[in-house]
Amino acid sequence: MASFTPKLVLFLLLLFSHHTTLSSSTSTLRDDLLGAARAPSFASWLRGLRRRIHQHPELAFQEHRTSELVRAELDALGVSYVWPVARTGGVATIAGGGGVGPVVALRADMDALPLQELVDWEYKSLETGKMHACGHDAHVTMLLGAAKLLQYRKKDLKGTVKLVFQPAEESYGGAYYILKEGALDDVEAIFGLHVSPHLPVGVVASRPGPFLAASARFSATVAGKAGHAGGPHDAVDPIVAASSTVLGLQQLVARETDPLEAAVVSVTLLRGGDGDNVIPESATFGGTVRSMTDEGLSYLMKRVKEIIEGQATVHRCAATVDFMEEELRPYPATVNDEGMYAHAKAVAEAMLGEANVKTAPRSMGAEDFAFYAQRAAGAFFFIGVGNETTMDRVSPVHSPHFVMDEEVLPIGAAFHASVAVEYLK
């Protein structure tokens, strides 16, 4: 018979204990939470919520009807909340009955996009020029589903779960204002989901560390002197100055950024005069700058201003540069906390299977979830909504043709709830 040293015996006991806990957790997550969310009545309730929200999309800081729906559902569940937070948002609280413990938050954004929906289906947007083309209707629905799952299990929670229904993710930094009002000062960890049509239903993806870019917008005006196009020597041409500046800005990535670091400088709009024989008084242009680090973004913003002003001077013009930091606050880089990421990944693997949890590539897209992740241990995941067998085509988010497979709703609700339940154990 083989002999075992005390250290080996201890290791085997710990290994067995971990395996038993994981097996039990896997069974709970799959059979209890995900099973409950997939029950016909629960799933039908989720679909109904999502469709009601989808038909009445609201833009940033205008989410009055959506907020009213959220509050009505929370009232029906007996979940307390604070409202308004950040004008149209709200933060609900589910305090566990299993003893004192940490506070963990789950977040959903509520706003829509200024797009005309081109998908012809029964629950198409009824609001002209507005559409839930980024899936925030699903985000709200999944978080309400998590609220229901957690409320029914609150007596076993050893801590507190806060549910953040956030306005104005699209461009206006609603997360910043939620934090500014102090609604999450006691939160030590936070989790968020975003739908992805590039992943099939039943698959989630993320990565530890830097995940999404820091971003800012800029607008510039170059002022010259108007004149006849036939006598350019009597004018000061802002079109030439602006054109030279646009080309000069491209050198920021090509010649000033480490090739191993990600950065973007994109000029996306340019406006000048209205006549083909008139040199205009001024020209305006603008766009976005992005980096995978906050320091990189600060450098790009500084250099964008210097280049625009410098090129204007070279061409005998004057320039003003506006980063619109009060109205369109720059977003920090979204950096997943390694511990919180590992926790959410383990939960997803237990619930969906290891093969359905992917490592996502870094993206130059930006998310105001980054503000939360600066203040608490954050984990942000993509959740698949694609289904090539049932969709005519899989369109990206921010497309007027965007659609999703609603089978994601119970999965997202259970994933949210499971992250919280397992965190508080």
Side-chain angles (χ1 to χ4, degrees):
M1 179 181 292
S3 61
F4 298 97
T5 66
K7 287 185 177 179
L8 180 58
V9 170
L10 179 59
F11 172 76
L12 291 172
L13 286 172
L14 288 172
L15 183 64
F16 176 76
S17 173
H18 175 73
H19 176 74
T20 302
T21 302
L22 181 60
S23 298
S24 174
S25 176
T26 300
S27 175
T28 299
L29 297 182
R30 283 183 180 168
D31 300 337
D32 181 16
L33 291 167
L34 184 55
R38 280 176 164 165
S41 60
F42 199 110
S44 177
W45 171 68
L46 290 174
R47 287 193 300 274
L49 286 177
R50 188 250 164 171
R51 292 169 181 179
R52 286 162 60 194
I53 298 169
H54 188 87
Q55 285 187 301
H56 297 283
E58 298 169 300
L59 303 182
F61 292 124
Q62 299 173 22
E63 307 93 334
H64 302 289
R65 186 181 184 126
T66 306
S67 180
E68 183 179 359
L69 180 150
V70 167
R71 299 196 309 273
E73 293 297 329
L74 292 173
D75 286 336
L77 293 171
V79 175
S80 63
Y81 54 85
V82 176
W83 178 87
V85 181
R87 292 160 60 177
T88 51
V91 177
T93 300
I94 298 176
V100 178
V103 181
V104 62
L106 308 172
R107 172 268 200 168
D109 39 13
M110 302 190 296
D111 55 324
L113 288 163
L115 287 176
Q116 183 65 45
E117 182 168 6
L118 298 180
V119 181
D120 189 16
W121 69 306
E122 185 179 356
Y123 300 98
K124 183 177 182 177
S125 171
L126 299 177
E127 308 294 334
T128 302
K130 300 175 186 178
M131 178 189 176
H132 271 295
C134 201
H136 296 188
D137 51 345
H139 298 171
V140 174
T141 300
M142 292 186 287
L143 192 55
L144 285 171
K148 192 170 190 175
L149 293 170
L150 291 166
Q151 181 71 352
Y152 289 170
R153 294 158 178 78
K154 63 183 292 185
K155 69 179 188 304
D156 299 321
L157 297 177
K158 297 179 181 179
T160 301
V161 184
K162 288 195 170 183
L163 310 169
V164 183
F165 295 92
Q166 179 209 304
E169 186 278 327
E170 300 288 356
S171 303
Y172 289 88
Y176 171 85
Y177 298 100
I178 292 279
L179 291 168
K180 187 177 180 180
E181 294 192 19
L184 304 182
D185 284 353
D186 56 349
V187 167
E188 69 174 47
I190 187 165
F191 175 73
L193 286 173
H194 199 296
V195 299
S196 172
H198 304 297
L199 296 172
V201 169
V203 172
V204 299
S206 187
R207 66 181 302 115
F211 186 20
L212 303 173
S215 74
R217 296 165 181 79
F218 69 93
S219 176
T221 299
V222 178
K225 177 184 175 183
H228 195 289
H233 58 290
D234 292 324
V236 179
D237 194 340
I239 298 293
V240 173
S243 300
S244 178
T245 304
V246 170
L247 293 176
L249 290 173
Q250 306 313 305
Q251 304 307 313
L252 282 175
V253 175
R255 286 295 176 266
E256 296 188 27
T257 301
D258 186 330
L260 300 179
E261 295 181 3
V264 169
V265 177
S266 291
V267 177
T268 56
L269 57 94
L270 177 60
R271 301 188 187 96
D274 298 314
D276 57 9
N277 62 347
V278 178
I279 292 173
E281 186 77 20
S282 64
T284 61
F285 60 93
T288 181
V289 292
R290 297 174 182 237
S291 171
M292 286 306 297
T293 67
D294 297 341
E295 296 77 15
L297 182 69
S298 295
Y299 177 80
L300 290 175
M301 291 171 69
K302 177 178 76 75
R303 290 292 290 135
V304 162
K305 186 173 188 296
E306 291 173 350
I307 289 171
I308 293 173
E309 292 177 344
Q311 287 291 329
T313 299
V314 167
H315 290 85
R316 300 178 297 146
C317 294
T320 58
V321 184
D322 184 5
F323 288 100
M324 301 166 281
E325 294 181 69
E326 287 304 315
E327 182 182 6
L328 301 174
R329 185 170 296 276
Y331 287 6
T334 300
V335 181
N336 277 336
D337 176 81
E338 296 206 3
M340 188 60 180
Y341 163 80
H343 167 71
K345 179 174 180 283
V347 167
E349 289 175 343
M351 188 173 73
L352 302 173
E354 290 185 20
N356 292 317
V357 181
K358 309 294 185 182
T359 300
R362 291 188 178 99
S363 168
M364 297 310 288
E367 241 286 347
D368 73 350
F369 185 87
F371 288 110
Y372 300 124
Q374 287 185 326
R375 294 276 295 273
F380 191 72
F381 272 63
F382 289 136
I383 184 167
V385 297
N387 189 335
E388 293 183 353
T389 63
T390 61
M391 296 176 180
D392 291 335
R393 60 176 170 174
V394 177
S395 297
V397 294
H398 290 223
S399 163
H401 301 284
F402 173 70
V403 295
M404 71 172 66
D405 188 329
E406 292 180 324
E407 291 300 314
V408 71
L409 300 176
I411 298 171
F415 191 13
H416 266 306
S418 299
V419 167
V421 167
E422 293 297 308
Y423 189 87
L424 297 179
K425 282 188 175 178

